């Protein structure tokens, strides 16, 4: 059973637009929900993370929205830039065990 | 935070040979993880490595194929043994730092392996 489902698989956004990536999880015991950004040839880098005690977290142009009752969380990239073009992974877990989504390839067109 | 380095960054190997990947962390961590990421795919956990004990392997991964060493709290190695082209992948070392309430997972830059 896939613990974390991520959509869309790929996304094309115009420069300045909003990119939205969604994830859903199964296990209500999960208490940590990070997003990772990965450029080609590099390892995933932690971008932003949220815990279930808040419904939203914002860091610069990146915002996580969290809906505990629906077991869903999403990443919003405001004012998307060509430099944001990368693969984004959501994850969910607790303690030392994390499960990853299948990734979203984001392309921001100048 | 944690800064993780891996060696080699990439390698091209012949079928039937073995490659050992090194992972170094800039701080002491209890648990280190090894992941595989096949081209265009998500991350698959291979095993969890604790210092002073045998690594714990996920379903589909066995010690004879992926032996792991964890000699101290800042270092680990993963060996890919008797390689085949299906082992071509990016191998990632990862650690989790912090107390339970602030656990954060960090990844190394990865080792890109191509098996001919």
């Amino acid at each position: 059973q896939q613990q974390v489902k991520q959509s869309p698989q790929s996304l094309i956004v115009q420069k300045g637009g909003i990119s939205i990536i969604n994830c859903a999880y199964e296990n209500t015991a999960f208490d940590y929900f990070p997003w990772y950004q990965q450029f080609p040839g590099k390892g995933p880098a932690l971008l932003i993370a949220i815990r279930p005690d808040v419904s939203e977290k914002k860091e610069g142009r990146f915002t996580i929205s969290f809906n505990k009752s629906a077991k869903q969380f999403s990443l919003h990239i405001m004012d998307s830039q060509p430099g944001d073009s990368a693969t984004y992974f959501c994850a969910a877990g607790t303690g030392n065990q994390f499960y990853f989504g299948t990734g979203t390839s984001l392309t921001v067109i100048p | 935070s944690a800064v993780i380095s891996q060696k080699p960054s990439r390698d091209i190997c012949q079928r039937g040979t073995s490659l050992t990947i090194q992972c170094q962390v800039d701080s002491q961590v209890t648990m280190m993880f090894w992941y595989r990421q096949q081209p265009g795919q998500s991350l698959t956990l291979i095993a969890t490595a604790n210092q002073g004990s045998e690594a714990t392997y996920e379903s589909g991964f066995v010690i004879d194929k992926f032996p792991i060493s964890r000699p101290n709290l800042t270092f680990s190695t993963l060996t890919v043994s008797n390689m085949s082209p299906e082992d071509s992948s990016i191998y990632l070392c990862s650690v989790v730092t912090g107390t339970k309430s602030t656990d954060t997972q960090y990844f190394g830059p990865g080792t890109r392996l191509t098996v001919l």
Side-chain angles (χ1 to χ4, degrees), chain A residues 31-32 36 38 40-46 51 87 89 91 94-98 100-103, chain B residues 31 33 35 37 40-43 58 90 92 96 100-110 112:
Chain A
D31 60 5
Y32 181 64
Y36 292 88
Q38 184 177 30
K42 305 292 185 182
L46 180 65
R51 297 195 182 271
T87 299
F89 292 96
T94 184
N96 290 311
Q97 190 157 30
F98 298 96
F100 289 85
T102 50
Chain B
M31 300 177 77
F33 305 87
Y35 285 83
Q37 185 178 27
Q41 302 296 314
S42 188
L43 294 86
E58 298 298 307
I90 298 173
L92 294 155
V96 172
K100 187 182 188 308
S101 63
T102 60
D103 285 347
T104 301
Q105 185 168 19
Y106 298 94
F107 287 88
R112 182 180 293 271

Side-chain angles (χ1 to χ4, degrees), chain A residues 5-107:
Chain A
K5 296 180 181 179
Q6 182 173 347
S7 63
Q9 184 176 2
S10 62
L11 181 62
I12 299 175
V13 174
Q14 292 281 348
K15 178 182 176 181
I18 302 174
S19 304
I20 301 174
I21 305 171
N22 301 299
C23 281
Y25 63 98
E26 294 291 327
N27 192 333
T28 56
F30 290 163
D31 60 5
Y32 181 64
F33 305 90
W35 285 91
Y36 292 88
Q37 180 186 56
Q38 184 177 30
F39 293 106
K42 305 292 185 182
L46 180 65
L47 186 62
I48 186 173
I50 197 169
R51 297 195 182 271
D53 52 341
V54 296
S55 60
E56 185 176 282
K57 182 174 182 179
K58 183 176 181 179
E59 291 184 359
R61 297 185 293 109
F62 301 92
T63 300
I64 298 179
S65 296
F66 182 77
N67 186 329
K68 188 174 181 178
S69 61
K71 295 189 289 184
Q72 295 176 347
F73 59 109
S74 60
L75 175 69
H76 296 236
I77 305 174
M78 311 300 287
D79 187 25
S80 299
Q81 298 296 312
D84 297 330
S85 297
T87 299
Y88 293 80
F89 292 96
C90 65
T94 184
N96 290 311
Q97 190 157 30
F98 298 96
Y99 299 89
F100 289 85
T102 50
T104 296
S105 176
L106 171 65
T107 301

